[in-house]
Amino acid sequence: MKRSVLTRYRAMAYVTAVMLLVLCTCMVFKYGFGMGKDLTLVVSQIHGVLYIIYLVFAFDLGSKAKWKFGKLLWVLISGTIPTAAFFVERQVVREVEPLIAGDAPEPVQA
């Protein structure tokens, strides 16, 4: 597995998690204080598009790491739970790093 697969996943995990927190904040202002209706619409659409990209990258990583369905499902759903993606991303990196290190070619001895 290439490191770029993990890097793409990590970037989208952070972006999706931050956008979900922004969306939650916008929704508090919209429903709690009656302001920011248009901003909430824009942020929700941006988060939706970014979440779809996150799903693609997470599925790609999961298929290359040969995860079981339950693990893959948990990683995919973590993008919908505020702050969960931050914690799941750390766990995924710890599990996938050895797979990437195992693919590194061994140095040639002279």
Side-chain angles (χ1 to χ4, degrees):
M1 177 185 333
K2 294 182 181 178
R3 180 165 296 279
S4 63
V5 175
L6 180 61
T7 304
R8 288 186 313 206
Y9 163 76
R10 291 184 76 189
M12 285 311 300
Y14 281 118
V15 169
T16 303
V18 169
M19 283 304 295
L20 184 57
L21 291 175
V22 171
L23 177 60
C24 289
T25 303
C26 288
M27 292 184 78
V28 166
F29 278 98
K30 178 182 177 182
Y31 294 110
F33 303 109
M35 48 197 282
K37 180 180 177 184
D38 296 331
L39 180 62
T40 303
L41 176 65
V42 172
V43 170
S44 66
Q45 291 176 346
I46 292 170
H47 171 70
V49 170
L50 292 173
Y51 180 67
I52 291 170
I53 296 169
Y54 168 80
L55 288 176
V56 171
F57 289 162
F59 186 80
D60 183 40
L61 177 66
S63 65
K64 290 180 179 167
K66 298 181 178 147
W67 289 338
K68 293 183 179 180
F69 180 73
K71 173 146 181 80
L72 179 62
L73 187 62
W74 172 241
V75 172
L76 295 176
I77 290 175
S78 71
T80 63
I81 303 168
T83 69
F86 293 116
F87 300 106
V88 172
E89 182 271 336
R90 284 182 148 191
Q91 181 182 8
V92 166
V93 170
R94 273 187 253 128
E95 292 177 11
V96 173
E97 280 289 335
L99 297 175
I100 294 172
D103 282 348
E106 294 183 26
V108 177
Q109 303 263 338

